[in-house]
């Protein structure tokens, strides 16, 4: 082999490596999507982020996340791919998953090797008020993703599910081997539907799919509709915080960095078929898998509030209320599958996570922003 041949082969290998790491992240202006994009960029993936930037919550936070990744609000136009001014391996497109025609064109032109679908209409309580938004985004949008993957030879699809799929399951901790046929919100039902739809495409078309059941994610750049954000805001504003089920609740609060660590493990290890399948609903004869990503250590809601008060050095005004429709008293993730398959277990303490969120909140609302 002469020097020219060696050089050519090295360039080919570099190109193959680059192509094998081209990924679409939907929901890229969202809480988890934003953090995933930042991590993938640092891991040298070629990333295209997609988001519709809807107004379910304050769009200024969404635009703030995009700005952190070098995407200027003034440059954003529907269906236009924008290159980051900060990261050479990141681009963003404003697009709605329900727009099948534009989504198909994006897939055809971009030749993705992997997709991580985090775009969804979020929120258990909002699904009771506005159910059609969940069908449009979480069902219609997801089938468009599945079809685009199938028709464009995407090798690997990971997607957000939710701990809410466990519904009225009383067995603790929640295991991916448990029955999840009794959801108590439409949001949960759409997430369970996503898992069933993904299995069908894995079985029929060989698409490698992995569902990720997230447990109460929190941290910097978090969503305004979630408890930590609302508690911190109201305490600082001197307003009462609403505490449901009279405070008799536990949540498996999971820090955002732990979530992202788990997601990266899953993206880099596509699902495999189980030859001697024993009927475990989290696995299959086809390339299908479901994992819990949670801290595995439920925290009493009142203790969570105490940690916030301590970090803010300010007591909360508390308004105790009954349980809300669609809500559950406790969540608790069994993460044995994550540990067994990847040697990984989330373990960030709520004290650390709350501190990091409050530091971000103060900077975003009272600092440079």
């Amino acid at each position: 082999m002469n020097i020219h041949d060696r050089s050519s082969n090295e360039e080919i290998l570099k190109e193959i490596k680059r192509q094998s790491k081209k990924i679409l992240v939907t929901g890229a202006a969202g809480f988890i999507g934003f953090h995933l994009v930042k991590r993938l960029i640092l891991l040298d993936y070629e990333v295209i982020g997609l988001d519709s930037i809807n107004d379910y919550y304050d769009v200024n936070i969404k635009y703030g996340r995009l700005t952190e990744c070098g995407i200027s609000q003034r440059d954003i136009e529907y269906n236009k791919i924008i290159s980051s001014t900060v990261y050479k391996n990141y681009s963003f497109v404003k697009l709605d998953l329900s727009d099948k025609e534009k989504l198909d064109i994006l897939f055809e032109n971009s030749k993705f090797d992997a997709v991580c679908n985090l775009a969804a209409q979020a929120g258990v309580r909002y699904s009771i008020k506005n159910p059609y938004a969940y069908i449009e985004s979480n069902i219609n949008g997801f089938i468009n993703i599945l079809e685009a993957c199938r028709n464009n030879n995407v090798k690997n699809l990971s997607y957000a599910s939710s701990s809410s799929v466990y519904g009225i399951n009383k067995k603790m901790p929640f295991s991916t081997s448990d029955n999840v046929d009794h959801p108590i919100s439409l949001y949960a039902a759409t997430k369970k539907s996503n898992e069933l739809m993904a299995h069908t495409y894995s079985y029929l078309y060989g698409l490698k799919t992995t569902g990720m059941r997230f447990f109460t994610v929190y941290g910097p750049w978090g969503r305004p509709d979630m408890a930590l954000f609302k508690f911190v805001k109201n305490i600082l504003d001197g307003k009462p915080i609403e505490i449901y089920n009279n405070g008799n609740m536990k949540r498996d609060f999971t820090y955002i960095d732990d979530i992202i660590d788990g997601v990266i493990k899953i993206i880099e290890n596509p699902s495999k078929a189980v030859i001697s399948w024993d009927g475990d609903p989290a696995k299959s004869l086809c390339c299908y898998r479901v994992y819990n990503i949670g801290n595995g250590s439920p925290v009493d809601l009142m203790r969570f509030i105490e940690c916030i008060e301590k970090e803010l050095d300010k007591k909360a005004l508390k308004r105790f209320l009954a349980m809300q429709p669609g809500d559950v008293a406790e969540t608790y993730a069994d993460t044995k599958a994550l540990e067994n398959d990847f040697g990984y277990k989330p373990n960030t303490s709520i004290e650390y996570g709350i501190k990091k969120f409050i530091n971000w909140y103060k900077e975003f609302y009272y600092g440079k922003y």
Side-chain angles (χ1 to χ4, degrees):
M1 177 186 292
N2 60 39
I3 294 176
H4 177 74
D5 290 337
R6 184 182 299 114
S7 176
S8 297
N9 283 346
E10 286 175 354
E11 289 302 315
I12 291 170
L13 288 173
K14 286 180 182 178
E15 179 66 13
I16 291 172
K17 180 181 178 184
R18 184 192 67 79
Q19 289 180 351
S20 69
K21 297 179 72 175
K22 188 169 187 180
I23 185 168
L24 171 69
V25 176
T26 71
F31 175 30
I32 300 174
F34 158 72
H35 284 278
L36 178 61
V37 163
K38 289 190 73 176
R39 185 74 65 83
L40 290 170
I41 289 169
L42 294 177
L43 290 173
D44 203 30
Y45 281 77
E46 182 182 350
V47 185
I48 292 184
L50 177 153
D51 205 292
S52 66
I53 319 180
N54 69 28
D55 60 359
Y56 168 64
Y57 61 80
D58 184 6
V59 295
N60 290 317
I61 295 176
K62 297 182 180 183
Y63 285 122
R65 294 171 184 146
L66 290 171
T67 300
E68 286 285 306
C69 293
I71 304 297
S72 171
Q73 178 178 348
R74 68 175 179 271
D75 294 332
I76 295 174
E77 296 178 26
Y78 190 80
N79 195 39
K80 176 185 175 183
I81 297 177
I82 304 164
S83 297
S84 169
T85 58
V86 178
Y87 303 105
K88 64 181 181 180
N89 55 329
Y90 182 54
S91 302
F92 174 80
V93 59
K94 181 180 179 181
L95 194 62
D96 196 310
L97 294 187
S98 64
D99 190 338
K100 184 179 185 302
E101 181 182 353
K102 296 293 192 301
L103 189 68
D104 287 344
I105 292 171
L106 176 68
F107 270 75
E108 289 167 11
N109 292 339
S110 300
K111 308 300 180 188
F112 299 114
D113 299 286
V115 173
C116 185
N117 183 52
L118 302 176
Q121 178 57 61
V124 168
R125 293 159 191 163
Y126 187 65
S127 69
I128 295 171
K129 298 177 181 178
N130 193 2
Y132 289 101
Y134 291 77
I135 300 302
E136 183 69 14
S137 179
N138 301 4
I139 301 297
N140 295 342
F142 192 64
I143 191 63
N144 289 343
I145 284 286
L146 288 170
E147 277 289 281
C149 287
R150 174 174 80 91
N151 293 324
N152 292 278
N153 196 32
V154 173
K155 301 177 179 67
N156 176 22
L157 169 65
S158 50
Y159 60 94
S161 186
S162 168
S163 62
S164 66
V165 300
Y166 290 103
I168 56 174
N169 187 351
K170 299 298 182 184
K171 177 178 168 290
M172 296 288 173
F174 293 153
S175 168
T176 52
S177 297
D178 293 342
N179 180 291
V180 289
D181 291 336
H182 298 87
I184 58 173
S185 71
L186 185 65
Y187 170 70
T190 63
K191 289 300 183 180
K192 171 60 178 174
S193 297
N194 288 171
E195 295 177 4
L196 295 172
M197 294 161 72
H199 182 272
T200 303
Y201 273 68
S202 292
Y203 187 85
L204 290 176
Y205 308 116
L207 175 63
K208 297 179 179 180
T209 67
T210 309
M212 302 172 290
R213 294 175 181 170
F214 299 138
F215 282 70
T216 316
V217 190
Y218 74 104
W221 294 98
R223 285 176 16 213
D225 63 322
M226 299 192 73
L228 178 56
F229 199 113
K230 291 193 292 186
F231 289 168
V232 169
K233 181 180 187 304
N234 282 16
I235 292 171
L236 288 174
D237 291 346
K239 298 178 180 178
I241 62 173
E242 295 182 339
I243 303 172
Y244 294 100
N245 202 34
N246 295 308
N248 298 314
M249 302 183 79
K250 289 186 177 182
R251 285 290 179 271
D252 201 345
F253 294 102
T254 311
Y255 187 61
I256 184 61
D257 287 357
D258 289 342
I259 291 288
I260 299 305
D261 287 343
V263 174
I264 294 295
K265 296 282 188 187
I266 286 166
I267 288 173
E268 296 188 338
N269 295 276
S271 61
K272 298 177 182 177
V274 179
I275 304 302
S276 55
W277 182 52
D278 61 2
D280 183 346
K283 307 174 184 178
S284 184
L285 290 168
C286 57
C287 295
Y288 167 87
R289 197 71 167 90
V290 174
Y291 289 96
N292 287 336
I293 307 183
N295 195 268
S297 181
V299 175
D300 286 321
L301 181 59
M302 297 310 296
R303 183 186 164 219
F304 188 71
I305 293 169
E306 288 172 3
C307 290
I308 297 170
E309 291 174 324
K310 182 178 179 181
E311 185 61 36
L312 291 175
D313 193 24
K314 186 175 182 180
K315 284 291 184 180
L317 302 173
K318 302 177 180 70
R319 179 182 297 157
F320 292 93
L321 301 170
M323 180 74 85
Q324 288 199 123
D327 217 343
V328 296
E330 182 176 359
T331 63
Y332 181 2
D334 181 337
T335 59
K336 289 189 181 68
L338 204 64
E339 296 173 52
N340 292 339
D341 290 357
F342 308 121
Y344 175 68
K345 186 183 187 310
N347 59 9
T348 299
S349 70
I350 58 166
E351 290 83 2
Y352 175 86
I354 287 171
K355 181 181 180 66
K356 294 290 285 186
F357 173 81
I358 289 173
N359 287 346
W360 166 80
Y361 185 94
K362 289 180 176 178
E363 181 181 22
F364 185 82
Y365 286 102
Y366 306 118
K368 66 178 182 179
Y369 292 96

